[in-house]
Every structure is written in structure tokens, then in C-alpha cells.
Amino acid sequence: MSQYNLLQTDNAKPIKMWTKGVPVEEEAKTQLTKTAQLPFIFKHIAVMPDVHVGKGSTIGSVIPTIGAIIPATVGVDIGCGMIAVQTSLLAHDLPDNLLPLRHEIEKAVPHGITPKHKGRDNGSWQNPPSLIDDYWQQLLPSFEKLTEKYPRFLNTNNYRHLGTLGTGNHFIEICLDEADRVWIMLHSGSRGVGNAIGSFFIEMAKKDMENHIKNLPDKDLAYLQEGTEHFHDYIDAVHWAQEFARLNREAMMNNVILAMRKVITKPFTTHMSAVNCHHNYVQKEQHFGEEIFITRKGAVSARKGELGIIPGSMGAKSYIVRGLGNEESFCSCSHGAGRVMSRTEAKKKFTIEDQIKATAHVECRKDANVIDEIPMAYKDIDAVMTAQNELVEIVHQLRQVVCVKG
């Protein structure tokens, strides 16, 4: 017997929801139903247990399409995802005082954002190191091709944002697994340039559909049809942004490892024990005997044997998982715990004291600017994992000891 709940409405494709035992907002169900009404949805929409309302499209959804893509379902944080590395270090190799380690990581990776007109943006490089130049060279040929047609993307944070963390729920963490082995894990995407690409093509889709947009269930579901100029330009741009996001995480990981070596005197090695995986992206895949476009909006690919990363909230555990290749979910799983309240609501409900208590075991910032990321603003990660035990199996359970927030 399958674990998913079925949401079925008139004039819409079925919605299969792996949400047993976890809360789902009615607003999220409404948003999903609107997407399911589009004529080019293939078979059904799959919904992960971390599902919650998103801007333009529901976070925690897997949207299969034929002949069209909805830019707002990919969103503006194109290629956002995770990378994790297991090290040869054990817990007792870490210093007793973890504050210098956090500070060294914060120095090594630009993070956060400086408000406009308040001076140089601390979230970007002033003088990017040679490592960033090496990564940028891999991206440059396709970027030049993209900006030849769309020069607007030249005037974005691109090169100076490569190897930087960003804000919101983006983070860098030092974690311990069940055997007290030390892991490095981080979460980020395609930064300013990805945001510019996503925002531009969302507006292009609305403009291309201006004569038909009133017939859509929601104007944010404006789509680009395969065969049109903007569709193919979007595919090229989104694939470039996804590659930027992947290399962005790689560059940060390299700099975090260098920062750790400054603080931890014991020599250590690192090996990629988990993948560098997107959880906001679109690509062509084979499912049910058809080649289709799969958009994962806050979801991770979980093909049979494929490793993935499901982080909990700041102060809660995270998981390295192996996909079970469940075709009904289009071989997908959740991308995290999922929010149960908005950032604004969390800031109203909780105090700095609550944040200090909830993250007592983690070396991290404990100030008013990170209250919106308090663990209580997220779903119970254990309930989320139970709801998707036919999608993935757990390989490692991680607990944070250091967390750097943007």
C-alpha cells in the first residue's frame, strides 16, 4: 500500500502527496491544485513532505511537463542546493572552543548582504581570489554567449558572487555523524545572476502570454512553450545558472576546507561522500517511458542508489540519504524540513532567548536577524523523514556543531 495521499479535483491532474503525519497548509493545496489544472502537466504532480506555500509556486513540489516550462516553478534561486563532504576528522579533533573556527569560515566565504547605499556589499568579493577566477573561466564562454543576446545580465552580481553564500536559509555547517565523524555541509544557489535570470524570464512568460494570461488559474503560472524563442533562451540560461550554482558550492567548499586547516592543526583529508545536488531546477528526464521536463521546486532527485542531502533546520539534525527510485514521485524526495510559518510570523512569535535555547548545542549567531531561521519555524524533520521512507533510505544522520548563516 502506497504512503501518499491523493488530492484530486475536477479539471486537474491528480496530486500525489507524501505528507502523512506532517502538516500541510490549505493555501499550499490550493496553489498545487491551480498548477495541476495546466494542460501540459504529465500524469500527476508529486508533493514532498516539506511542502509549503511559495512565491509563484509551491515549495516541495515536483512538476512534470510536456512541451512547456513554467519559469516561476523553477523560481529565482535557480540551482539552489546542497553539497556535503565527509572528512577524516573525528569530534575529538575539533577545538573545544568552536568560535574561532566559525569566525575563520565567515572570513573565508562572503555572506549576508549590505543594504543599498550602505557601502560595499559584504556578501560579494571585493578582490576575488585566484580560485574564483579558475571557476569563473569554466562559466565564462556560455555567459558571453548568453549576454551577447541579453546584455542586461552583464549588469548583475555574477563573477563577484561566485563562491559566496547569500542570505536567508543559506548556510555553512560543520556536523558530526552517528560515528562522530566530521562533515562539512553547505546550502546555496546561483546568487544575484540567477535571481536576475529567473525574474527576467518569469516576466517574459507573462508578457508572451498577455493575451491568454486571464485564462490561467494564476498569472504566476505563465509558461513558455517549447519551440518558441524565449523557451530555448530560457533553457540555455537556466542550465548556465544551474552550473553556476554547482560551481558556487564547490568553490565555497574549497574555501571552507582551507579555513578549517588554519584552525585545526591535525592534518585531514576530505572525500565527496555525498553529492553536490540541486533542489530548485529543471531538466529533461525519462519517466513512465516518456522524455519530459521535470521541475523540482524544493525537491531532490532520488533515483535508485543516488545520494542526496536533506538538511533539517538550524539546530536540528540533517540526513544523507540514498534514493529508492520511486517512479510515482518521479524519483524525488524532500529538500529539507519545510517551513511551518513565514519569516515574519517567526520574528513576531519568538525571541532572542528562544533562539539561544533552541541552538544551545551549536556555535552560531544568536541575534535578532536570525530568529526567522529558528528551528521551531520548521516542520519536525523526523516526521518528514518517516513520511518519505518509500522514497529514500537514510545513510547518515548529522548533527550541527557550527553554523554560519548569511
Side-chain angles (χ1 to χ4, degrees):
M1 184 178 168
S2 183
Q3 285 187 330
Y4 62 77
N5 293 315
L6 188 63
L7 178 61
Q8 180 80 68
T9 58
D10 292 339
N11 306 315
K13 288 290 198 313
I15 300 166
K16 296 182 178 182
M17 306 177 68
W18 280 264
T19 54
K20 290 186 177 176
V22 294
V24 183
E25 315 139 291
E26 285 304 314
E27 199 182 340
K29 291 180 184 176
T30 301
Q31 200 173 39
L32 287 162
T33 300
K34 288 178 178 178
T35 307
Q37 290 169 14
L38 295 169
F40 48 82
I41 300 295
F42 174 73
K43 284 189 81 71
H44 61 268
I45 288 174
V47 177
M48 303 299 104
D50 57 341
V51 61
H52 56 285
V53 171
K55 186 180 177 185
S57 179
T58 321
I59 296 162
S61 60
V62 182
I63 300 159
T65 58
I66 291 181
I69 291 174
I70 313 157
T73 59
V74 181
V76 296
D77 200 355
I78 300 168
C80 187
M82 303 285 306
I83 187 173
V85 167
Q86 184 187 328
T87 76
S88 60
L89 296 168
L90 295 171
H92 62 73
D93 297 319
L94 294 174
D96 292 337
N97 179 5
L98 293 168
L99 181 62
L101 177 56
R102 173 162 73 91
H103 283 171
E104 201 60 49
I105 293 169
E106 287 171 343
K107 277 196 288 182
V109 179
H111 57 284
I113 191 168
T114 303
K116 282 184 179 177
H117 316 303
K118 297 277 185 181
R120 196 189 74 77
D121 180 11
N122 288 326
S124 66
W125 293 106
Q126 187 161 13
N127 297 299
S130 58
L131 171 79
I132 301 304
D133 288 334
D134 294 342
Y135 278 109
W136 181 246
Q137 288 308 310
Q138 296 179 53
L139 292 163
L140 191 55
S142 295
F143 187 63
E144 286 174 340
K145 188 179 170 188
L146 174 65
T147 53
E148 197 177 312
K149 183 160 187 183
Y150 295 103
R152 64 173 46 240
F153 299 134
L154 287 166
N155 190 28
T156 59
N157 268 315
N158 41 75
Y159 165 63
R160 289 185 182 278
H161 265 187
L162 185 59
T164 71
L165 186 62
T167 59
N169 62 355
H170 294 163
F171 61 77
I172 301 166
E173 289 180 341
I174 308 300
C175 305
L176 304 175
D177 69 12
E178 62 286 337
D180 270 354
R181 291 172 293 222
V182 176
W183 288 65
I184 310 163
M185 184 167 78
L186 63 85
H187 171 211
S188 191
S190 53
R191 305 292 283 111
V193 66
N195 188 299
I197 288 168
S199 300
F200 174 73
F201 281 102
I202 288 169
E203 289 310 308
M204 280 299 98
K206 288 178 181 175
K207 195 172 178 186
D208 286 358
M209 292 195 72
E210 57 191 358
N211 294 328
H212 309 284
I213 208 156
K214 61 181 181 295
N215 300 322
L216 287 174
D218 188 314
K219 69 179 190 309
D220 284 324
L221 296 175
Y223 54 88
L224 297 169
Q225 281 190 291
E226 193 166 9
T228 63
E229 182 184 10
H230 284 148
F231 178 94
H232 293 292
D233 289 349
Y234 178 65
I235 289 289
D236 289 345
V238 88
H239 284 172
W240 181 84
Q242 287 166 192
E243 184 63 3
F244 181 106
R246 185 182 70 81
L247 294 177
N248 183 42
R249 290 189 289 271
E250 244 183 57
M252 280 189 282
M253 182 61 76
N254 275 309
N255 281 332
V256 172
I257 291 166
L258 291 173
M260 286 180 71
R261 290 202 163 110
K262 287 183 181 178
V263 177
I264 299 165
T265 52
K266 180 178 178 176
F268 65 90
T269 58
T270 60
H271 32 275
M272 225 39 111
S273 193
V275 290
N276 186 347
C277 58
H278 299 317
H279 54 225
N280 279 354
Y281 68 114
V282 61
Q283 66 182 16
K284 266 192 173 175
E285 294 183 6
Q286 285 271 349
H287 292 280
F288 300 100
E290 296 268 3
E291 188 174 61
I292 59 173
F293 288 102
I294 289 285
T295 298
R296 292 188 176 92
K297 170 80 164 180
V300 178
S301 179
R303 292 189 175 277
K304 193 165 182 61
E306 186 175 24
L307 289 173
I309 307 165
I310 303 178
S313 62
M314 181 182 184
K317 57 198 139 185
S318 299
Y319 292 94
I320 306 297
V321 297
R322 186 181 290 113
L324 297 176
N326 189 314
E327 264 296 332
E328 292 299 311
S329 72
F330 298 99
C331 300
S332 306
C333 66
S334 86
H335 82 311
R339 296 191 75 91
V340 287
M341 65 182 73
S342 70
R343 295 183 182 280
T344 306
E345 197 180 339
K347 284 183 173 177
K348 284 179 184 172
K349 188 168 183 178
F350 299 109
T351 63
I352 293 173
E353 288 69 34
D354 294 327
Q355 174 76 352
I356 290 168
K357 191 176 176 183
T359 61
H361 59 295
V362 184
E363 172 51 58
C364 61
R365 283 171 52 206
K366 301 174 196 279
D367 56 65
N369 289 330
V370 291
I371 288 175
D372 55 338
E373 283 294 304
I374 197 166
M376 291 83 85
Y378 285 84
K379 296 181 188 183
D380 177 356
I381 187 68
D382 290 325
V384 166
M385 295 308 295
T386 300
Q388 60 184 334
N389 61 18
E390 67 175 15
L391 308 183
V392 290
E393 60 182 352
I394 295 167
V395 180
H396 293 294
Q397 180 177 301
L398 308 181
R399 64 189 190 278
Q400 302 98 320
V401 291
V402 176
C403 177
V404 171
K405 278 283 184 189

